[in-house]
Amino acid sequence: MKKKMPLITMTLVLTIAAAGCSSGSPNQNGAETASNSAKPASSEPVSIEFAAGKDASGELEKSIARFNSTHDNIKIKYVELPQVPNEQMTRYSTWFNSKSNTPDLFMTDVTWPAMFASAGWLAPIDEYADASYLQRFWPAAVEVGKVNNKQYGIQGYMDVGVLFYRKDLLDKYNLPVPQTWAELTKVSQEILQKENDPKLTGYLFQGAKIEGATINWLEHLWGQNGDIYDQGKVKVDSDKGIQALKTMNNLITQDKVSPVSVSTSNPNDNTIAFSAGNAIFMRNWPAAFTQLKGTKVEGKVGIAAIPHSDGSESHSSTGGWVYAINQFSGHKKEAWEVMKFFLSDEEQKSMCTNASKIPSVRKVFDDPELKKAQPIFEQLPAVMEKAKSRPVLRNYEQISRSVQTQVNLVLSGQKDPEAALRDAQKEIDEKLK
């Protein structure tokens, strides 16, 4: 059942808006936007401005070129944004608070749709994307764009948390890939004892005061059938929420299979340590797999679902970016045609093959050429099927900051889990007033 969204004041957006509304037209240096408030003559193609972060692979521009060469009545104009999400947020806030009719189509981080929809910036796409069309996608790719039972976007490409493991070490000691946290602890302790290598640790994860700390906590919470909602209200200090944080902390303090350094580590830090052969297990994103080429562990690594608590099941958190249409655009129908093109089987396959991004369309995973080019995709469908998007909340980022701060204090030994989440709850309650 879809939870009711709490009514929250959008402090971040309003702050940015105050600074941005006086800046006038967002068309700067000819690279930002060009107004298409007046519809072109019927003989001219409709120009759809599409805003997205810079794509280092070059695949996005090739995809746009394919669209433009095969469509006479619509042409895409690419508005390249910075790669840093916060800088993109500033651009979007400036444009949409001033009700700019461009960009027509754009990409948002997975944590933004609820905030953008609540601000009145997104156009619903229900008239274009019916239930049968939405079935083409992984559940999380649809859920992330649904706000108050209206569909405001669809995920264009995805990320999902997975467990990396050293196949060579598990095979050496004839040990199974762990499915629960208890099993991961037991396997880690046995290998650590037998290897007797001071450089080797059991399990690496993201515990620094970043979004990764919130994501790891959510995966532990979901992995014991927990949720952050209680009767429609956000509640992080539930019994299961506290137990989730205790399990994370015990990996460091009690079980001693994770190093204290996880309290300052991010995904890249973890990948560097794992690639040097200094860990048995690691929680990370699939993109880390390609970074292991040419390292000590190349050819010795497998991936699996994130562990869960006994009697529950694994639910990984998703990441990635979502296609959405500007509510103020004068060309919503044409913007949908562009979105639909990007979400076609052919374009999703090309994006995956040439840019190593995870498709949001289920069918693409069955392509034999894709499986050959990206071997880890054999294991991903089972993970994707049960993956969850982060809570669809207007001010998710503010809530996440409270959680990640308190999680980090626990992992760094400065607080106990119960007190930490009680304090996080107090901060969140204050923000939700």
Side-chain angles (χ1 to χ4, degrees):
M1 180 181 294
K2 189 72 184 176
K3 303 342 186 256
K4 287 181 64 180
M5 297 221 336
L7 295 176
I8 306 164
T9 302
M10 294 177 52
T11 308
L12 173 63
V13 174
L14 292 178
T15 301
I16 296 173
C21 285
S22 63
S23 61
S25 172
N27 185 12
Q28 300 168 4
N29 302 322
E32 297 288 332
T33 65
S35 174
N36 53 9
S37 57
K39 290 190 176 182
S42 58
S43 60
E44 298 178 1
V46 171
S47 176
I48 294 298
E49 290 196 10
F50 169 57
K54 180 178 176 61
D55 175 27
S57 72
E59 173 61 18
L60 177 56
E61 292 189 68
K62 291 177 183 177
S63 180
I64 291 172
R66 286 192 289 269
F67 181 94
N68 287 340
S69 67
T70 56
H71 291 73
D72 296 328
N73 60 331
I74 306 172
K75 299 298 178 184
I76 304 172
K77 178 182 178 181
Y78 177 31
V79 180
E80 185 179 277
L81 300 181
Q83 287 183 316
V84 180
N86 286 350
E87 293 182 23
Q88 293 186 31
M89 170 70 83
T90 300
R91 301 284 184 94
Y92 289 144
S93 298
T94 300
W95 289 335
F96 302 144
N97 272 300
S98 62
K99 297 186 178 181
S100 172
N101 55 10
T102 56
D104 305 275
L105 177 69
F106 60 100
M107 298 201 83
T108 85
D109 181 86
V110 291
T111 63
W112 298 346
M115 178 168 55
F116 284 17
S118 299
W121 295 351
L122 306 185
I125 60 172
D126 301 271
E127 64 179 295
Y128 310 118
D130 60 20
S132 62
Y133 179 80
L134 295 176
Q135 286 177 358
R136 299 175 60 240
F137 305 93
W138 298 110
V142 174
E143 189 68 15
V144 71
K146 186 174 290 185
V147 183
N148 292 334
N149 293 319
K150 287 186 177 182
Q151 197 70 40
Y152 287 97
I154 301 171
Q155 203 156 345
Y157 57 88
M158 307 184 72
D159 224 341
V160 66
V162 294
L163 178 71
F164 286 75
Y165 63 90
R166 289 281 298 278
K167 291 191 298 184
D168 58 328
L169 291 177
L170 267 60
D171 290 345
K172 181 178 180 180
Y173 298 108
N174 194 29
L175 294 169
V177 177
Q179 296 184 28
T180 67
W181 292 112
E183 291 171 353
L184 181 141
T185 297
K186 182 179 179 181
V187 169
S188 295
Q189 290 173 338
E190 182 172 344
I191 293 176
L192 290 173
Q193 181 182 17
K194 291 179 177 178
E195 286 291 298
N196 193 28
D197 180 353
K199 294 181 180 179
L200 188 65
T201 193
Y203 176 61
L204 297 174
F205 63 96
Q206 300 80 53
K209 193 169 68 173
I210 57 174
E211 177 66 10
T214 301
I215 290 173
N216 276 260
W217 175 75
L218 282 170
E219 290 176 339
H220 276 272
L221 176 63
W222 293 334
Q224 55 177 307
N225 294 324
D227 201 346
I228 71 162
Y229 295 104
D230 180 22
Q231 298 181 350
K233 295 182 179 180
V234 175
K235 185 171 179 61
V236 300
D237 64 341
S238 64
D239 290 343
K240 288 187 176 181
I242 293 168
Q243 184 56 50
L245 187 48
K246 284 182 178 179
T247 302
M248 293 175 69
N249 193 45
N250 285 344
L251 291 167
I252 303 171
T253 59
Q254 177 179 296
D255 305 322
K256 300 190 183 304
V257 298
S258 294
V260 176
S261 61
V262 297
S263 66
T264 61
S265 69
N266 58 44
N268 189 55
D269 298 329
N270 299 149
T271 302
I272 291 171
F274 190 81
S275 65
N278 295 334
I280 305 165
F281 299 104
M282 171 180 70
R283 187 270 177 216
N284 217 317
W285 306 100
F289 196 85
T290 60
Q291 296 174 266
L292 302 179
K293 291 181 179 180
T295 70
K296 283 187 176 182
V297 299
E298 181 178 8
K300 303 175 183 178
V301 178
I303 65 167
I306 298 292
H308 54 81
S309 298
D310 293 334
S312 185
E313 61 181 6
S314 172
H315 294 288
S316 296
S317 175
T318 59
W321 291 77
V322 179
Y323 289 112
I325 296 173
N326 178 2
Q327 173 64 30
F328 310 111
S329 169
H331 304 299
K332 296 184 182 68
K333 184 176 180 180
E334 292 84 358
W336 165 253
E337 290 301 317
V338 175
M339 185 194 298
K340 189 167 67 170
F341 173 83
F342 286 144
L343 292 171
S344 67
D345 294 354
E346 296 77 14
E347 290 304 309
Q348 286 267 297
K349 177 184 174 181
S350 183
M351 173 196 69
C352 178
T353 303
N354 300 311
S356 298
K357 292 175 179 175
I358 300 175
S360 57
V361 176
R362 299 169 184 256
K363 183 180 177 182
V364 178
F365 279 73
D366 297 328
D367 191 286
E369 293 180 6
L370 183 60
K371 289 181 179 179
K372 185 176 180 180
Q374 306 282 0
I376 65 169
F377 278 28
E378 290 279 1
Q379 286 76 41
L380 283 181
V383 178
M384 300 292 294
E385 193 65 53
K386 295 182 179 180
K388 290 190 175 187
S389 57
R390 277 161 272 171
V392 180
L393 297 166
R394 290 187 190 180
N395 60 350
Y396 169 81
E397 292 192 7
Q398 293 180 51
I399 292 170
S400 176
R401 280 196 293 274
S402 295
V403 171
Q404 65 191 238
T405 297
Q406 297 301 326
V407 168
N408 178 257
L409 288 171
V410 171
L411 299 182
S412 59
Q414 300 178 61
K415 249 182 182 179
D416 69 80
E418 187 167 357
L421 289 184
R422 298 287 186 228
D423 287 346
Q425 188 66 53
K426 289 177 183 177
E427 290 180 12
I428 291 169
D429 288 343
E430 187 64 31
K431 291 171 182 175
L432 301 188
K433 283 184 179 179

